[in-house]
Amino acid sequence: MNAVNEWVAKPVVAIALLLGMFCCGAAIAQAQAAAPAAAGALAPGLKLTFTSNGVMDSRPARLIALSVPANTPPTPFLQPGAFTATWEGLVNLRIRGEYTFLPVGAGGVKVLIGEKLALATSGDDFTKVKSEPVKLTKGKNRIRVEYTSPERGDAIFRLYWSERGAAEPVPPGVLTHDASDAGLRTKLTMHEGRALFGELRCVRCHVDPYPGAMEKKLEGTGAMITPGMPELWKDAPDLSNAGARLSERWMAAWIANPRALNPRAEMPRLFKDPQPAADIAAYLATLAIPIAPDPRDSGAPQVVSGARLYANLGCIACHTPPDYVGADPVIPARIPHEHVAEKYTRKSLRSFLKKPNANFLFVRMPDFRLTDAELDALVTYLYRKPTELLLPMPQGDVDRGKQLFAATGCLNCHGPLESQPAVRGASLAELGKFKALGGCLAADPASRKTGPDFTLTQDQRSALAEFVAGDTTSLRRESSIEFAERQYVQLNCAACHPRDKQDDVWSGLSKEIDALFPGHASEESNGKQFAPDQSRPSLTWIGEKLRPEWMAQFVSGHVQYKPRPWLRARMPGFLAGSTNYSLIAEGFALEHGFPARSPDLPKPDQELAEVGRKLTGKNGGFSCVQCHAVGAQKALAPFEAPAPNFAYVAERLRPEYFDRWMMKPQRVLPGTRMPDFADSEGKTALKNVFDGDARKQFDSIWNYLLEGTKIQPPP
């Protein structure tokens, strides 16, 4: 008991991180979104309220935009069908100005600034309408936007505004809402409970009584999954060969208290006494499938190379290094690597890094597609500190462990997805009748009895209780927008990418990286050109920017080229082998008010494409080829770093984003090296082409880019 108590006493950081988004998933990584807020406290985004057939639901929204495909619900707590959506909150400006509002979409829309009606229209095409200029004051301006979906078909809506120049979406950085709003907090509690129910795999013990619970096959696995909330078909690590992959000593410590080793662990603590944990670990250690021989380490140079990789691939943004000392300043806390050498054999660590989801389909660790040399270097670096740090455990008994493994319901989560629970808990219908927070939801061990301990906060326990007592039929429905936002947190996208006004974690660790790995940035480039600026792309406009089909392939690691070859970092593949990456891409598109599928790329207008080809050149053009590669032709003289290759632009970008980017790149991404070619009147300096009309010139360049991999450099 003393060892277990010491683990419990070890500090664990799990504090809420407000990112200006709807992200009440990833409950283990952060406190719930519905945590108490001071009266009048402002949070990023607007309050978004849906109403359909007399039922109402609310959540925060980053953008005044929305797309809901036909026959899908706008939120899991509503049925599919016609709905109204109302955004409410504040527009916060540093200086006053006059803005014209321009809606895109179909249905009906009203825009109110304060008490003044700025815009009201309805019909099949909002783009023919714009408001009169509306004066917005410096500071806070109350805004209310009411959108009514069409009776049939897709609901698509985006709100743009313009102040002397091209129209743009109302940027999320200026939007806030009252975080203490009681109605919003009540609804967020239900969303949080639902997210926790999925994340913690509650359905594996508390069977969903609704029909059709096992109807759909999980792509590439043959396993059956639940339609609706994707997290309901999350698997857990396959333990059939646990003895070959994991050390018995580490398994015993993990089973005894998972969150002492990983502050983001979803695995609950099952036992108050360490003996049962040791027994189960002893049994699992007998489940071994031989692993292929692994190359020997090559010594100190490999440690240096591994350290550089650890820094340059961004491992440090999600993990603390093996020899990290002190409290982790990052919120939510990074996953420690101090016990890696005690957890894995060298062979199994290499196998895991080579294919992280081989034994766990929904593992958060992505696939970096490491080469053999990179694998050798990382394994040597991570395994160089074999000092035993785990606290002692009692001797385990294999026979007792085998019995406990079956009796405690371990196979409910760690068995095949299509299998029935080995140990069945109360059904959802039965759980909804319970008023007291007992069992898994009990705050103290005495009330919890033999129930697992998920280390939940009081608010999280209450949220789960509210959810199971409420509308659990929402598990049969899903909003891709909400799923994408939950995955944004669950997969820790903010570790590497900034979004809205939130910086990425990685960029704030430069001193820590320099202290741990001196000179890491001076590694040999092997002929590759790396830029001094190693910042990763912002995700603020991700759903407007990228075609969802390309985004899905990129997120899953199936794009064969590197869009930004000047970065040492590389985008790993997430959730390979599942359909989740498609849902993530779809969700981001819908969040920005675009369809879940983009139209096929048209064939280029050859006459316009030839004009665009000349416009990108040095002779009488914008000299785009100075920074941009064109197919096999490298950038001629890039400033610090090349820009994306023209051969891949059209397959990546939506034309709407390309137009907005070309008109005012500094408005889209402040600080970008891309210059503004168009003035406030929509004219460029090249007056001899289309009389300097920027839009016509940029349309010609787009037609040129539509040639894709067949593109030819300008003369």
Side-chain angles (χ1 to χ4, degrees), residues 319-334:
H319 300 275
T320 53
D323 50 2
Y324 188 86
V325 177
D328 184 8
V330 175
I331 302 172
R334 289 172 290 175

Side-chain angles (χ1 to χ4, degrees), residues 411-611:
L411 284 172
N412 284 17
C413 291
H414 293 281
L417 285 173
E418 69 271 21
S419 62
Q420 293 298 313
V423 177
R424 188 183 296 268
S427 70
L428 290 189
E430 293 169 328
L431 285 176
K433 300 175 183 177
F434 300 153
K435 301 299 180 183
L437 295 179
C440 305
L441 300 183
D444 60 279
S447 301
R448 193 164 46 248
K449 297 180 181 178
T450 59
D453 180 7
F454 286 96
T455 324
L456 301 174
T457 67
Q458 179 58 39
D459 288 321
Q460 289 170 332
R461 289 191 291 271
S462 297
L464 265 171
E466 289 288 332
F467 171 70
V468 297
D471 182 13
T472 54
T473 62
S474 65
L475 296 171
R476 311 264 54 80
R477 300 181 291 274
E478 187 55 278
S479 159
S480 296
I481 296 174
E482 296 188 18
F483 175 70
E485 285 296 346
R486 293 197 302 271
Q487 291 299 296
Y488 181 90
V489 180
Q490 180 75 2
L491 299 179
N492 207 17
C493 300
C496 298
H497 296 277
R499 186 171 78 158
D500 301 347
K501 289 188 174 182
Q502 180 67 42
D503 292 332
D504 61 287
V505 171
W506 191 352
S507 296
L509 298 174
S510 56
K511 291 183 179 179
E512 184 178 316
I513 293 172
D514 290 338
L516 291 170
F517 316 121
H520 74 92
S522 63
E523 67 172 307
E524 295 181 5
S525 63
N526 295 321
K528 298 180 181 179
Q529 181 177 0
F530 294 128
D533 180 5
Q534 288 290 301
S535 56
R536 278 70 53 197
S538 169
L539 301 185
T540 296
W541 304 110
I542 188 72
E544 174 199 13
K545 177 180 180 178
L546 298 179
R547 291 167 54 88
E549 298 81 7
W550 186 89
M551 192 195 318
Q553 292 300 302
F554 190 54
V555 170
S556 64
H558 291 131
V559 172
Q560 298 302 310
Y561 59 88
K562 192 173 179 179
R564 291 172 172 80
W566 61 89
L567 293 179
R568 290 187 177 88
R570 71 184 69 149
M571 176 69 178
F574 288 90
L575 305 171
S578 80
T579 56
N580 274 11
Y581 52 80
S582 297
L583 295 178
I584 292 171
E586 175 181 300
F588 285 138
L590 299 179
E591 181 181 38
H592 285 257
F594 285 88
R597 303 287 180 271
S598 54
D600 293 338
L601 288 172
K603 292 183 178 180
D605 181 305
Q606 291 301 323
E607 185 175 341
L608 287 176
E610 185 58 30
V611 174

Side-chain angles (χ1 to χ4, degrees), residues 17 21 60 148 284 382 399 417 450 480 502 577 586 641 683 699:
L17 176 64
M21 58 189 174
T148 304
L284 293 176
L382 290 169
D399 291 335
L417 285 173
T450 59
S480 296
Q502 180 67 42
E586 175 181 300
K683 298 288 186 178
D699 182 55

